[in-house]
Amino acid sequence: MTLAEISSNLLYVAFVAYLIATFVFGGAVKGNKEGTFKSESRWGKVAITITLIGFVANLGYFFTRWGATGHAPLSNMFEFTTAFGMTLVAGFIILYFLYKTPVLGMIVLPVALLIIAFASMFPSEVSPLIPALQTNWLAIHVSTVVIAEGILAISAAAGLIYLLKVVDLTKKSKQRMGLEAIMYSLVLVLGFVVASSFFSFTGYEAEFTYVDKEAKDAAVTYTMPPIFGMNEYVALTDDAMTPLVEMPPIVHAGKLTTVTWSILFGTVLYWLIRLVFRKRISAILKPFVKNVNTQLMDEIGYRAIIIGFPIFTLGALIFAMIWAQIAWSRFWGWDPKEVWALITWLFYAAYLHLRLGKGWQGEKSAWLAVLGFIIIMFNLVAVNLIIAGLHSYA
């Protein structure tokens, strides 16, 4: 068995362990009916043990893949996203031993599972690095970014728990609608996994040529029926579906098609869940947070951001600009990825200003923490998959 195969098996073990731990954490919280926290203490220990087993397997995946590739496994969407899921779990483990909060595991682990499942839909084959990535700055820049985003995601999990606790779901309000919109967006990630798996199972492929933004001929293979066509596309597959709309060269229509199918599948899944349970997803989760200490969740969310923000500043801005100067002879070029990194940084800077300067704590702070995670995920999904730029190799 090769290192690459061992790496894949270890990631699968981690995924299964996180899945089992999610249900055990849920049982620990749900079983705490009288508020004595005995169930949380007993089953929480079991759940964190399973989580630790999964995390050790996750680390094993990371380092065996590093050995197989010869470089830090952070060079493409599969590697970066799996690392993101790993740092998210690492942050939760540290917080669990500090605060003993099983309910945080019940939220964080499913998100980590979605992130790893999302990653698994991308090509995972071991391949040599392109010249632009053959530098130590790959590990320095990307590792700090992925660690920072994992920590910042913890703040969103704490914020979501806070909102599930305090928002009145029995009354129609903007807060109730916003909370359900968050649940819907998480189901859309699952929609991507289902859509990718379905069309992969059917073996769908369609090849097209097109003219890229550099006015050069290029080729693309669709793995889902092409809703959007590339710029000046020509079909090479005889029975391929004709794209409904032709996109400008700055937009990668193949990836936009993937996102669109994911939204369609995710929307169907969301309404299926609503029909089966006959209630909103936020209402399904509401009973699990009845004993939550909102002040503790607010503190966890704030502390995660004051730790994650400076690390993000280092990785996404300072280290990124140094590498950009080395690779492209300029510190800043308004590449889409650079722009959204700056937007993310400005958002968290605004969060700290509002929190420390304007006293935005509690519910306002929780909403901002969740919105920050949405921005991170938009950068990960939409910017990487749809908008063409210098970072498109990832």
Short mmCIF file of all heavy atoms in Angstrom, two decimals, residues 5 16 60 64 71 114 123 164 166 168 187-188 194 199 212 217 239 242 254 266 287 311 322-323 341 348 356 390:
data_model
loop_
_atom_site.label_atom_id
_atom_site.label_comp_id
_atom_site.label_asym_id
_atom_site.label_seq_id
_atom_site.Cartn_x
_atom_site.Cartn_y
_atom_site.Cartn_z
N GLU A 5 -2.33 5.99 -0.63
CA GLU A 5 -3.47 5.14 -0.26
C GLU A 5 -3.69 5.13 1.25
O GLU A 5 -4.83 5.18 1.73
CB GLU A 5 -3.26 3.73 -0.79
CG GLU A 5 -3.33 3.63 -2.31
CD GLU A 5 -2.90 2.25 -2.82
OE1 GLU A 5 -2.12 1.56 -2.11
OE2 GLU A 5 -3.36 1.86 -3.90
N VAL A 16 -15.33 9.12 9.52
CA VAL A 16 -16.25 8.23 10.24
C VAL A 16 -16.24 8.55 11.74
O VAL A 16 -17.29 8.59 12.39
CB VAL A 16 -15.89 6.75 9.99
CG1 VAL A 16 -16.73 5.84 10.87
CG2 VAL A 16 -16.08 6.40 8.52
N GLY A 60 -2.63 12.00 10.74
CA GLY A 60 -1.95 10.95 9.99
C GLY A 60 -2.14 11.12 8.50
O GLY A 60 -1.19 10.96 7.71
N THR A 64 1.09 11.79 6.06
CA THR A 64 1.37 10.76 5.05
C THR A 64 1.19 11.31 3.64
O THR A 64 1.93 10.94 2.73
CB THR A 64 0.46 9.52 5.24
OG1 THR A 64 -0.92 9.94 5.33
CG2 THR A 64 0.84 8.75 6.49
N HIS A 71 5.61 17.71 -0.51
CA HIS A 71 5.40 19.11 -0.12
C HIS A 71 4.20 19.19 0.82
O HIS A 71 3.43 18.24 0.94
CB HIS A 71 5.15 19.99 -1.37
CG HIS A 71 3.96 19.56 -2.18
ND1 HIS A 71 2.65 19.85 -1.82
CD2 HIS A 71 3.87 18.84 -3.33
CE1 HIS A 71 1.82 19.35 -2.71
NE2 HIS A 71 2.53 18.72 -3.64
N LEU A 114 -19.01 18.43 6.67
CA LEU A 114 -19.43 19.03 5.39
C LEU A 114 -18.22 19.54 4.61
O LEU A 114 -18.14 19.37 3.39
CB LEU A 114 -20.40 20.18 5.65
CG LEU A 114 -21.86 19.82 5.91
CD1 LEU A 114 -22.67 21.08 6.22
CD2 LEU A 114 -22.48 19.10 4.71
N PRO A 123 -10.50 16.64 -7.31
CA PRO A 123 -9.46 15.65 -7.62
C PRO A 123 -8.45 15.55 -6.48
O PRO A 123 -7.95 16.57 -6.00
CB PRO A 123 -8.81 16.21 -8.90
CG PRO A 123 -9.87 17.07 -9.52
CD PRO A 123 -10.63 17.66 -8.38
N LEU A 164 -29.31 30.28 18.18
CA LEU A 164 -30.32 29.22 18.35
C LEU A 164 -30.97 29.31 19.74
O LEU A 164 -32.14 28.99 19.90
CB LEU A 164 -29.68 27.85 18.16
CG LEU A 164 -29.35 27.44 16.72
CD1 LEU A 164 -28.47 26.19 16.69
CD2 LEU A 164 -30.64 27.19 15.92
N VAL A 166 -31.23 32.23 21.69
CA VAL A 166 -31.94 33.47 22.02
C VAL A 166 -33.01 33.88 21.03
O VAL A 166 -33.94 34.63 21.38
CB VAL A 166 -30.94 34.64 22.20
CG1 VAL A 166 -29.91 34.32 23.27
CG2 VAL A 166 -30.25 35.00 20.89
N ASP A 168 -36.30 33.86 19.05
CA ASP A 168 -37.65 33.29 19.24
C ASP A 168 -38.15 32.77 17.90
O ASP A 168 -38.47 33.56 17.00
CB ASP A 168 -38.59 34.35 19.80
CG ASP A 168 -39.97 33.77 20.17
OD1 ASP A 168 -40.21 32.58 19.87
OD2 ASP A 168 -40.78 34.51 20.74
N VAL A 187 -26.97 23.44 4.08
CA VAL A 187 -27.52 22.33 3.30
C VAL A 187 -27.06 22.43 1.84
O VAL A 187 -26.89 21.41 1.17
CB VAL A 187 -29.06 22.32 3.39
CG1 VAL A 187 -29.66 21.23 2.49
CG2 VAL A 187 -29.51 22.09 4.82
N LEU A 188 -26.81 23.65 1.36
CA LEU A 188 -26.33 23.82 -0.02
C LEU A 188 -24.96 23.16 -0.20
O LEU A 188 -24.67 22.62 -1.27
CB LEU A 188 -26.23 25.30 -0.39
CG LEU A 188 -27.56 26.06 -0.54
CD1 LEU A 188 -27.29 27.48 -1.02
CD2 LEU A 188 -28.50 25.35 -1.50
N VAL A 194 -23.90 15.86 -2.90
CA VAL A 194 -24.88 14.96 -3.52
C VAL A 194 -24.87 15.10 -5.03
O VAL A 194 -24.87 14.09 -5.77
CB VAL A 194 -26.29 15.23 -2.95
CG1 VAL A 194 -27.33 14.39 -3.69
CG2 VAL A 194 -26.33 14.94 -1.46
N PHE A 199 -23.75 12.79 -10.39
CA PHE A 199 -23.29 12.86 -11.78
C PHE A 199 -22.01 12.04 -11.98
O PHE A 199 -21.76 11.56 -13.09
CB PHE A 199 -23.08 14.32 -12.19
CG PHE A 199 -24.36 15.07 -12.38
CD1 PHE A 199 -24.69 16.14 -11.57
CD2 PHE A 199 -25.26 14.70 -13.38
CE1 PHE A 199 -25.87 16.84 -11.73
CE2 PHE A 199 -26.45 15.39 -13.56
CZ PHE A 199 -26.76 16.46 -12.73
N ASP A 212 -10.09 31.71 -23.58
CA ASP A 212 -9.96 32.19 -22.21
C ASP A 212 -9.74 33.70 -22.15
O ASP A 212 -9.73 34.39 -23.19
CB ASP A 212 -8.86 31.44 -21.47
CG ASP A 212 -7.47 31.70 -22.04
OD1 ASP A 212 -7.29 32.68 -22.80
OD2 ASP A 212 -6.55 30.91 -21.74
N ASP A 217 -6.83 29.72 -26.97
CA ASP A 217 -7.72 28.55 -27.03
C ASP A 217 -7.44 27.64 -25.83
O ASP A 217 -6.29 27.42 -25.45
CB ASP A 217 -7.48 27.78 -28.33
CG ASP A 217 -7.96 28.55 -29.55
OD1 ASP A 217 -8.88 29.37 -29.39
OD2 ASP A 217 -7.41 28.33 -30.64
N ASP A 239 -23.23 14.39 -28.10
CA ASP A 239 -24.55 14.43 -27.47
C ASP A 239 -24.59 15.34 -26.24
O ASP A 239 -25.45 15.20 -25.38
CB ASP A 239 -24.99 13.02 -27.08
CG ASP A 239 -23.97 12.34 -26.15
OD1 ASP A 239 -22.87 12.88 -26.01
OD2 ASP A 239 -24.32 11.28 -25.59
N THR A 242 -26.58 21.54 -24.78
CA THR A 242 -26.19 22.89 -25.19
C THR A 242 -26.36 23.84 -24.02
O THR A 242 -27.43 23.91 -23.42
CB THR A 242 -27.05 23.38 -26.37
OG1 THR A 242 -26.92 22.47 -27.46
CG2 THR A 242 -26.63 24.77 -26.81
N GLY A 254 -17.83 26.46 -16.30
CA GLY A 254 -17.90 25.07 -15.85
C GLY A 254 -18.10 24.99 -14.36
O GLY A 254 -18.92 24.21 -13.86
N GLY A 266 -29.24 21.18 -3.40
CA GLY A 266 -29.33 21.59 -2.01
C GLY A 266 -30.71 22.10 -1.64
O GLY A 266 -31.21 21.82 -0.54
N PRO A 287 -34.03 22.48 20.58
CA PRO A 287 -34.03 21.76 21.87
C PRO A 287 -32.64 21.40 22.39
O PRO A 287 -32.45 21.20 23.58
CB PRO A 287 -34.85 20.49 21.56
CG PRO A 287 -35.68 20.85 20.39
CD PRO A 287 -34.84 21.79 19.58
N ILE A 311 -3.58 36.12 13.26
CA ILE A 311 -3.00 35.04 12.44
C ILE A 311 -3.43 35.20 10.99
O ILE A 311 -2.63 35.03 10.06
CB ILE A 311 -3.42 33.66 12.99
CG1 ILE A 311 -2.93 33.47 14.42
CG2 ILE A 311 -2.86 32.54 12.11
CD1 ILE A 311 -3.43 32.20 15.08
N ILE A 322 4.27 39.19 0.53
CA ILE A 322 5.68 38.84 0.32
C ILE A 322 5.82 37.82 -0.79
O ILE A 322 6.67 37.94 -1.69
CB ILE A 322 6.29 38.31 1.64
CG1 ILE A 322 6.33 39.42 2.70
CG2 ILE A 322 7.70 37.76 1.39
CD1 ILE A 322 6.74 38.93 4.08
N TRP A 323 4.97 36.77 -0.75
CA TRP A 323 5.02 35.74 -1.80
C TRP A 323 4.64 36.32 -3.15
O TRP A 323 5.24 35.98 -4.17
CB TRP A 323 4.09 34.58 -1.41
CG TRP A 323 4.24 33.37 -2.28
CD1 TRP A 323 5.17 33.15 -3.26
CD2 TRP A 323 3.44 32.18 -2.25
NE1 TRP A 323 5.00 31.92 -3.84
CE2 TRP A 323 3.95 31.30 -3.24
CE3 TRP A 323 2.35 31.78 -1.49
CZ2 TRP A 323 3.38 30.06 -3.48
CZ3 TRP A 323 1.80 30.53 -1.72
CH2 TRP A 323 2.30 29.68 -2.70
N ALA A 341 -9.71 38.41 0.27
CA ALA A 341 -8.93 38.30 1.51
C ALA A 341 -8.95 39.63 2.26
O ALA A 341 -9.09 39.68 3.49
CB ALA A 341 -7.49 37.89 1.19
N TYR A 348 -13.48 41.53 9.82
CA TYR A 348 -13.13 41.18 11.20
C TYR A 348 -12.53 42.37 11.95
O TYR A 348 -12.69 42.47 13.18
CB TYR A 348 -12.19 39.97 11.23
CG TYR A 348 -12.93 38.67 11.00
CD1 TYR A 348 -12.83 37.98 9.79
CD2 TYR A 348 -13.75 38.15 11.99
CE1 TYR A 348 -13.53 36.79 9.58
CE2 TYR A 348 -14.45 36.96 11.78
CZ TYR A 348 -14.34 36.29 10.59
OH TYR A 348 -15.04 35.12 10.39
N LEU A 356 -15.36 46.33 20.65
CA LEU A 356 -14.58 47.03 21.68
C LEU A 356 -14.95 48.51 21.79
O LEU A 356 -14.92 49.07 22.89
CB LEU A 356 -13.08 46.89 21.37
CG LEU A 356 -12.54 45.46 21.34
CD1 LEU A 356 -11.08 45.46 20.89
CD2 LEU A 356 -12.67 44.79 22.70
N LEU A 390 -5.43 34.75 -10.79
CA LEU A 390 -4.10 34.16 -10.66
C LEU A 390 -4.08 32.97 -9.71
O LEU A 390 -3.15 32.17 -9.74
CB LEU A 390 -3.11 35.24 -10.16
CG LEU A 390 -2.77 36.35 -11.16
CD1 LEU A 390 -1.96 37.44 -10.48
CD2 LEU A 390 -2.00 35.78 -12.35
#
